[in-house]
PDB file of all heavy atoms in Angstrom:
ATOM      1  N   CYS A 162     240.448 -17.791  91.090  1.00 94.00           N
ATOM      2  CA  CYS A 162     241.100 -17.064  92.191  1.00 94.00           C
ATOM      3  C   CYS A 162     242.559 -17.418  92.247  1.00 94.00           C
ATOM      4  O   CYS A 162     242.963 -18.578  91.994  1.00 94.00           O
ATOM      5  CB  CYS A 162     240.443 -17.451  93.525  1.00 94.00           C
ATOM      6  SG  CYS A 162     241.065 -16.553  94.922  1.00 94.00           S
ATOM      7  N   GLY A 166     249.081 -17.276  99.133  1.00 93.00           N
ATOM      8  CA  GLY A 166     249.429 -17.381 100.554  1.00 93.00           C
ATOM      9  C   GLY A 166     248.319 -17.861 101.414  1.00 93.00           C
ATOM     10  O   GLY A 166     248.318 -17.647 102.641  1.00 93.00           O
ATOM     11  N   PRO A 169     245.845 -23.936 104.135  1.00 97.00           N
ATOM     12  CA  PRO A 169     245.117 -25.058 103.584  1.00 97.00           C
ATOM     13  C   PRO A 169     243.576 -24.941 103.772  1.00 97.00           C
ATOM     14  O   PRO A 169     242.823 -25.235 102.873  1.00 97.00           O
ATOM     15  CB  PRO A 169     245.727 -26.278 104.259  1.00 97.00           C
ATOM     16  CG  PRO A 169     247.128 -25.855 104.624  1.00 97.00           C
ATOM     17  CD  PRO A 169     247.002 -24.401 104.962  1.00 97.00           C
ATOM     18  N   LEU A 175     237.953 -21.746  99.454  1.00 94.00           N
ATOM     19  CA  LEU A 175     237.891 -21.158  98.111  1.00 94.00           C
ATOM     20  C   LEU A 175     237.486 -22.119  97.054  1.00 94.00           C
ATOM     21  O   LEU A 175     236.708 -21.822  96.164  1.00 94.00           O
ATOM     22  CB  LEU A 175     239.281 -20.587  97.745  1.00 94.00           C
ATOM     23  CG  LEU A 175     239.644 -19.179  98.141  1.00 94.00           C
ATOM     24  CD1 LEU A 175     241.061 -18.828  97.837  1.00 94.00           C
ATOM     25  CD2 LEU A 175     238.671 -18.205  97.484  1.00 94.00           C
ATOM     26  N   VAL A 179     234.660 -21.235  94.004  1.00 91.00           N
ATOM     27  CA  VAL A 179     235.105 -20.779  92.691  1.00 91.00           C
ATOM     28  C   VAL A 179     235.318 -22.006  91.803  1.00 91.00           C
ATOM     29  O   VAL A 179     235.388 -23.105  92.254  1.00 91.00           O
ATOM     30  CB  VAL A 179     236.341 -19.878  92.735  1.00 91.00           C
ATOM     31  CG1 VAL A 179     236.126 -18.629  93.567  1.00 91.00           C
ATOM     32  CG2 VAL A 179     237.583 -20.642  93.248  1.00 91.00           C
ATOM     33  N   VAL A 182     241.204 -22.549  91.396  1.00 97.00           N
ATOM     34  CA  VAL A 182     242.160 -21.856  92.227  1.00 97.00           C
ATOM     35  C   VAL A 182     243.529 -22.155  91.706  1.00 97.00           C
ATOM     36  O   VAL A 182     243.882 -23.294  91.500  1.00 97.00           O
ATOM     37  CB  VAL A 182     242.049 -22.266  93.734  1.00 97.00           C
ATOM     38  CG1 VAL A 182     243.049 -21.504  94.554  1.00 97.00           C
ATOM     39  CG2 VAL A 182     240.629 -22.012  94.277  1.00 97.00           C
ATOM     40  N   GLN A 194     264.057 -10.902  93.629  1.00 85.00           N
ATOM     41  CA  GLN A 194     262.817 -11.666  93.612  1.00 85.00           C
ATOM     42  C   GLN A 194     262.696 -12.509  94.845  1.00 85.00           C
ATOM     43  O   GLN A 194     261.585 -12.700  95.407  1.00 85.00           O
ATOM     44  CB  GLN A 194     262.817 -12.570  92.371  1.00 85.00           C
ATOM     45  CG  GLN A 194     261.554 -13.391  92.231  1.00 85.00           C
ATOM     46  CD  GLN A 194     261.556 -14.098  90.878  1.00 85.00           C
ATOM     47  OE1 GLN A 194     262.224 -13.673  89.955  1.00 85.00           O
ATOM     48  NE2 GLN A 194     260.805 -15.159  90.817  1.00 85.00           N
ATOM     49  N   ASP A 195     263.841 -13.017  95.359  1.00 88.00           N
ATOM     50  CA  ASP A 195     263.832 -13.890  96.539  1.00 88.00           C
ATOM     51  C   ASP A 195     263.374 -13.154  97.784  1.00 88.00           C
ATOM     52  O   ASP A 195     262.968 -13.758  98.778  1.00 88.00           O
ATOM     53  CB  ASP A 195     265.161 -14.527  96.754  1.00 88.00           C
ATOM     54  CG  ASP A 195     266.289 -13.488  96.892  1.00 88.00           C
ATOM     55  OD1 ASP A 195     266.257 -12.419  96.278  1.00 88.00           O
ATOM     56  OD2 ASP A 195     267.241 -13.742  97.654  1.00 88.00           O
ATOM     57  N   THR A 205     251.908  -9.502  89.684  1.00 83.00           N
ATOM     58  CA  THR A 205     252.632  -9.806  88.461  1.00 83.00           C
ATOM     59  C   THR A 205     251.924 -10.812  87.614  1.00 83.00           C
ATOM     60  O   THR A 205     252.201 -10.939  86.426  1.00 83.00           O
ATOM     61  CB  THR A 205     254.032 -10.277  88.772  1.00 83.00           C
ATOM     62  OG1 THR A 205     254.028 -11.450  89.554  1.00 83.00           O
ATOM     63  CG2 THR A 205     254.866  -9.211  89.489  1.00 83.00           C
ATOM     64  N   ALA A 206     250.986 -11.531  88.193  1.00 87.00           N
ATOM     65  CA  ALA A 206     250.235 -12.530  87.440  1.00 87.00           C
ATOM     66  C   ALA A 206     249.121 -11.870  86.576  1.00 87.00           C
ATOM     67  O   ALA A 206     248.648 -12.477  85.613  1.00 87.00           O
ATOM     68  CB  ALA A 206     249.588 -13.574  88.381  1.00 87.00           C
ATOM     69  N   HIS A 213     247.350 -18.574  83.381  1.00 92.00           N
ATOM     70  CA  HIS A 213     246.909 -19.182  84.611  1.00 92.00           C
ATOM     71  C   HIS A 213     245.536 -19.786  84.467  1.00 92.00           C
ATOM     72  O   HIS A 213     245.205 -20.772  85.190  1.00 92.00           O
ATOM     73  CB  HIS A 213     246.997 -18.215  85.734  1.00 92.00           C
ATOM     74  CG  HIS A 213     248.388 -17.697  86.014  1.00 92.00           C
ATOM     75  ND1 HIS A 213     249.371 -18.536  86.414  1.00 92.00           N
ATOM     76  CD2 HIS A 213     248.928 -16.485  85.903  1.00 92.00           C
ATOM     77  CE1 HIS A 213     250.495 -17.839  86.559  1.00 92.00           C
ATOM     78  NE2 HIS A 213     250.242 -16.584  86.235  1.00 92.00           N
ATOM     79  N   LEU A 239     231.927  -7.150  80.631  1.00 82.00           N
ATOM     80  CA  LEU A 239     232.201  -8.241  79.687  1.00 82.00           C
ATOM     81  C   LEU A 239     231.798  -7.853  78.263  1.00 82.00           C
ATOM     82  O   LEU A 239     232.497  -8.217  77.307  1.00 82.00           O
ATOM     83  CB  LEU A 239     231.546  -9.481  80.157  1.00 82.00           C
ATOM     84  CG  LEU A 239     232.144 -10.081  81.403  1.00 82.00           C
ATOM     85  CD1 LEU A 239     231.254 -11.208  81.981  1.00 82.00           C
ATOM     86  CD2 LEU A 239     233.577 -10.590  81.186  1.00 82.00           C
ATOM     87  N   ALA A 242     234.543  -5.662  77.020  1.00 75.00           N
ATOM     88  CA  ALA A 242     235.721  -6.511  76.685  1.00 75.00           C
ATOM     89  C   ALA A 242     235.532  -7.215  75.354  1.00 75.00           C
ATOM     90  O   ALA A 242     236.489  -7.332  74.574  1.00 75.00           O
ATOM     91  CB  ALA A 242     235.950  -7.534  77.776  1.00 75.00           C
ATOM     92  N   GLY A 243     234.363  -7.644  75.040  1.00 72.00           N
ATOM     93  CA  GLY A 243     234.055  -8.273  73.758  1.00 72.00           C
ATOM     94  C   GLY A 243     234.160  -7.350  72.598  1.00 72.00           C
ATOM     95  O   GLY A 243     234.347  -7.779  71.446  1.00 72.00           O
ATOM     96  N   ALA A 246     239.004  -5.058  69.878  1.00 53.00           N
ATOM     97  CA  ALA A 246     239.637  -5.844  68.832  1.00 53.00           C
ATOM     98  C   ALA A 246     240.770  -6.688  69.405  1.00 53.00           C
ATOM     99  O   ALA A 246     241.619  -6.172  70.088  1.00 53.00           O
ATOM    100  CB  ALA A 246     240.137  -4.976  67.705  1.00 53.00           C
ATOM    101  N   SER A 259     255.733  -6.171  79.383  1.00 68.00           N
ATOM    102  CA  SER A 259     257.108  -5.595  79.309  1.00 68.00           C
ATOM    103  C   SER A 259     257.306  -4.449  80.309  1.00 68.00           C
ATOM    104  O   SER A 259     258.321  -4.300  80.925  1.00 68.00           O
ATOM    105  CB  SER A 259     257.440  -5.190  77.888  1.00 68.00           C
ATOM    106  OG  SER A 259     256.706  -4.045  77.540  1.00 68.00           O
ATOM    107  N   GLY A 274     246.463  -1.213  91.716  1.00 51.00           N
ATOM    108  CA  GLY A 274     245.029  -1.082  92.114  1.00 51.00           C
ATOM    109  C   GLY A 274     244.467   0.254  91.954  1.00 51.00           C
ATOM    110  O   GLY A 274     244.787   1.209  91.458  1.00 51.00           O
TER     111      GLY A 274
END
Side-chain angles (χ1 to χ4, degrees):
C162 183
L175 271 175
V179 300
V182 179
Q194 183 174 337
D195 58 326
T205 60
H213 298 296
L239 291 169
S259 69

